[in-house]
Amino acid sequence: MRGTTLAKILRYRIFWLLVTVCSTLMLLTFITFWGLINTWQAYSRPAFENMLGVDAEIQEDFKLIRELNKEFPGQSLCNEEMLNAMRLAELSARRLHEFSYVQGDKLLCTTTMGFVSEPVFQPPDPVKSDLSDVEFVLSAPVLALGGQVEGMQVKIDRFQAFIRPLAVEATRMPWLETGVYTLTEKGIQSVLKPLNVQPMAPFQKNGPHWRITDDRWVEQFCYGAGSCGLVAVHIPTYLSYRKGAVIAVLFFTTLIAGLVGGFSWLLHKRYMEIGRQLKRSLNYRTIDCVYQPIFRLDNGHLEGCEVLCRWRDEHNQQIRPDIFIKEIEKNRQTRLLTEIVIKKAVNELIAVGLFGRIRVAVNTFPDDIASGHVDQILTGVLAGRSSQSVTVEITEHEAESVDEVVNSIKQLRSKSIRLAIDDFGTGYSNFQHLEKLNVDYLKIDQSFVRGMETNALRSRLVKNITEMARTLGLETVAEGVELQVQLDALRAHGVSFSQGYLHAKPMPIFDFANYVKQHRVADTT
Ligand code: C2E
Ligand code: CA
């Protein structure tokens, strides 16, 4: 029940239209989003690397301040020796400058100013890093520059220094903002240029994470002792800044998505319509027959032919038999197809004077054999003509259904119709089934013939099948023979007949009639 409902839904055009539109839109969104994220990450990753390097250098410089504290323990006043030590530290520092000494809340000397005449009171309330002995004053006046300029100051015990302004390369882009945050006793504090976005708390140390907040794409990368770098892309600014690129990406993704969507829509249309078109063709009998010659291997005479059907859809496209035959089976129109093909083939062969002169093999469906339909069709079509030149090809079927066809086969044989197991080796038939089925020929599937000249296993299998057939008194037909070496090997293995492109491709009746004229026909009586 559920299966049929699903099948009904699948047949609705609107369903497929929706599927096509939705998948096209999804693909478009995905490609655009993926492209944008990748571009942004191409900017954020170097920015993080930069921040990581800067952070490591600052941490290294903190050691210099700690050294100063160790070198002058408990000292109350600034002296030359201390100033020299501070200047030496400044020379070795990579990220810190303007070292100073503080006693309590009074600054006594700095590396640029030397001893200050009047002790300078320091801004109260520095923020203390949660994870180390470092205190920060986010914007302290730089005394050496007259106090007009402010910088970020770090303080460890009694010595302090300014952090040189950080420059993160990528921030030159107007749509890109970068920030560095640290975790302090007062919460998350911005170390470098506060952003309009806050980092995600708690800080995660395991690498980068991105998210979208309001109109920003934000990537956060936490490192070191509670420090996090943040890179934010202001999406509207980015889109207007990169208008050209965005339009190009949108254009190409729309084009690709449109092509994919259009192609799948065409494909769907074609396959959904195939069923309806086939019904019309079967009703109007516009199925054609082509004929492929079959040769005796011992004397090289033309034995007969196999009839194969051909169908062109309403766009005049030739559709492969394995595709449209599946559709016919699905629509339960196998009997009609067999009837059309047999009727057309018999009439065409009569018209060119070949019916009864050569053997003609027709393909059938196992269910139609079992139900007796093939017998009825042949009786109706032949209407009094001899059926002894006709061979009915049966494809190997499920083992359980062997009994179902046995009676029908007997019925056909009683009318001197011969039988062949088609595509032998690909289905379920075994020795016992073959004994029961009582057929005349085994058609060795082309998958065994293909490559048998180089593949010893295939060659051996063909030989085994031929030997088994001989034991059962059956003749063998090799399908899909394309090369002379294959033909020679088949002859050496004792295969009775061959069919394949080496001799000829399937052809329309008049071509076939001409072809027969140019070959010696075997005596089939
Ligand atoms: P099949 O019965 O095994 O038919 C042989 C197929 O192999 C044909 O394909 C033929 O064109 C192809 N063939 C012949 N020689 C060579 C060769 O040397 N190399 C290669 N690569 N192929 C070769 P076709 O005509 O495309 O038919 C495919 C299948 O469709 C047939 O396989 C048969 O199972 C089915 N079929 C075709 N016509 C009918 C029909 O009228 N009724 C039924 N029930 N089935 C049919
Ligand atoms: Ca066949």
Side-chain angles (χ1 to χ4, degrees), residues 306-308 362-363 393 395 422-423 443 479 499:
E306 177 178 357
V307 183
L308 295 154
V362 290
N363 290 286
E393 295 191 1
T395 40
D422 209 358
D423 306 329
K443 292 194 79 173
E479 294 182 308
Q499 174 185 353

Side-chain angles (χ1 to χ4, degrees), residues 292 306-310 321-322 325 337-338 341 363-365 393 395 422-423 446 450 479-482 499-502 506:
Q292 188 174 31
E306 177 178 357
V307 183
L308 295 154
C309 64
R310 292 291 177 261
D322 48 341
I325 283 175
L337 174 78
T338 310
V341 173
N363 290 286
T364 57
F365 298 93
E393 295 191 1
T395 40
D422 209 358
D423 306 329
Q446 45 184 287
R450 198 177 305 131
E479 294 182 308
V481 184
E482 292 184 352
Q499 174 185 353
Y501 293 170
L502 177 69

Side-chain angles (χ1 to χ4, degrees), residues 28 99 101 109 117 162 174 203 220 233 235 242 280 304 307 388 439 444-445 449 513:
L28 188 69
F99 282 61
Y101 173 67
C109 56
S117 44
F162 281 94
F203 280 12
Q220 172 171 324
V233 170
I235 299 172
R242 284 284 161 99
R280 281 195 285 269
V307 183
Q388 64 179 15
V439 294
I444 304 168
D445 190 69
V449 178

